[in-house]
Amino acid sequence: PRKMVLHPKTRNLYILEGDQNVPSEPDREKIISNISDKTQDPEYKKLEPSFVGYPRMTGLWASCLRIVDPLKLETLERFEMENNEAVFGILITEFTCYPGKQCLVIGSAFNVKLQPKSSTSNFITIYELSEDGRQLSLIHKTAVEDIPMVFAAFDGKLLAGIGKTLRLYDLGKRRLLKKCENKHFNSTINQISVEELRIFV
């Protein structure tokens, strides 16, 4: 687990999970099937990952979003990311221009390398949550120039830490709308706190 947020109504947990140098689930299944065929051991497919571990492959990421009922300790839903997408930031918020709707915000990047830090593309994805919080409806996906690591709600809008940039967004029909930004930070933003109209980074 990397980060988690609590749904304000259902009290379910939304957990971002990610592991570096591990293939995504569809790729893992192919690799395990190939190993089973080469070793002529059909029982290999049935082994639990907790027993044999996951296949390791440099440069790949396995990531997912898990929705958990913390009282029953039960996984309600699990959404696997594909195409080497790694997830970093998460927030549940409500936009002033979209009243009465809970939105899930996820920051992700593709083909991420940590040393030196790089990625081929980065996105902030907005989903509308269903009443029970178990279904996600994609609103839109906005490309950004660096990895969106952290989010915070501010005055009915979205604050995003994108690399070394702090940016304020509002919800548009086809993408997030940039309202203002501050690029005068010396290092990557990894935490944002809001106290009334004050922002602490």
Side-chain angles (χ1 to χ4, degrees):
R2 292 185 169 271
K3 292 180 180 176
M4 68 177 70
V5 292
L6 183 69
H7 193 289
K9 295 181 180 179
T10 66
R11 314 308 290 175
N12 291 331
L13 289 172
Y14 291 70
I15 304 172
L16 289 185
E17 300 178 7
D19 201 358
Q20 189 185 13
N21 296 331
V22 174
S24 63
E25 186 171 352
D27 292 334
R28 288 200 302 269
E29 291 175 355
K30 293 178 184 177
I31 293 171
I32 291 172
S33 179
N34 289 338
I35 293 174
S36 177
D37 293 342
K38 289 181 180 179
T39 59
Q40 297 181 348
D41 182 9
E43 295 298 317
Y44 184 80
K45 297 179 181 179
K46 301 177 184 179
L47 295 176
E48 289 293 327
S50 58
F51 178 71
V52 296
Y54 288 124
R56 310 296 292 187
M57 296 187 70
T58 303
L60 297 184
W61 287 79
S63 297
C64 74
L65 168 68
R66 188 185 301 270
I67 304 176
V68 175
D69 184 334
L71 298 179
K72 298 180 180 178
L73 299 178
E74 176 186 353
T75 296
L76 303 177
E77 301 289 345
R78 183 173 174 271
F79 303 93
E80 183 87 14
M81 307 300 172
E82 298 181 353
N83 301 320
N84 208 26
E85 181 179 13
V87 289
F88 294 94
I90 187 170
L91 177 72
I92 294 177
T93 188
E94 185 176 326
F95 290 90
T96 301
C97 61
Y98 203 45
K101 302 293 185 179
Q102 294 290 334
C103 293
L104 178 69
V105 184
I106 291 181
S108 64
F110 288 83
N111 305 311
V112 176
K113 294 181 180 179
L114 298 180
Q115 291 294 337
K117 192 180 81 168
S118 66
S119 57
T120 55
S121 54
N122 315 282
F123 293 93
I124 300 175
T125 307
I126 311 292
Y127 298 95
E128 180 185 335
L129 293 174
S130 61
E131 287 295 323
D132 62 3
R134 297 180 62 166
Q135 301 299 320
L136 309 179
S137 299
L138 177 66
I139 297 178
H140 50 55
K141 205 167 189 174
T142 302
V144 292
E145 71 278 9
D146 206 337
I147 300 175
M149 298 291 294
V150 63
F151 303 108
F154 179 75
D155 195 28
K157 297 178 177 62
L158 175 68
L159 274 172
I162 302 168
K164 299 179 182 180
T165 301
L166 178 66
R167 186 172 294 153
L168 182 66
Y169 285 106
D170 202 356
L171 188 69
K173 291 184 178 180
R174 297 186 178 180
R175 56 170 291 138
L176 290 171
L177 306 176
K178 182 169 63 174
K179 295 299 181 180
C180 60
E181 66 181 11
N182 185 338
K183 295 184 175 182
H184 302 290
F185 292 93
N186 296 323
S187 59
T188 299
I189 298 171
N190 56 36
Q191 186 174 357
I192 303 173
S193 298
V194 175
E195 187 69 36
E196 295 182 350
L197 294 180
R198 293 182 178 181
I199 302 169
F200 301 90
V201 179

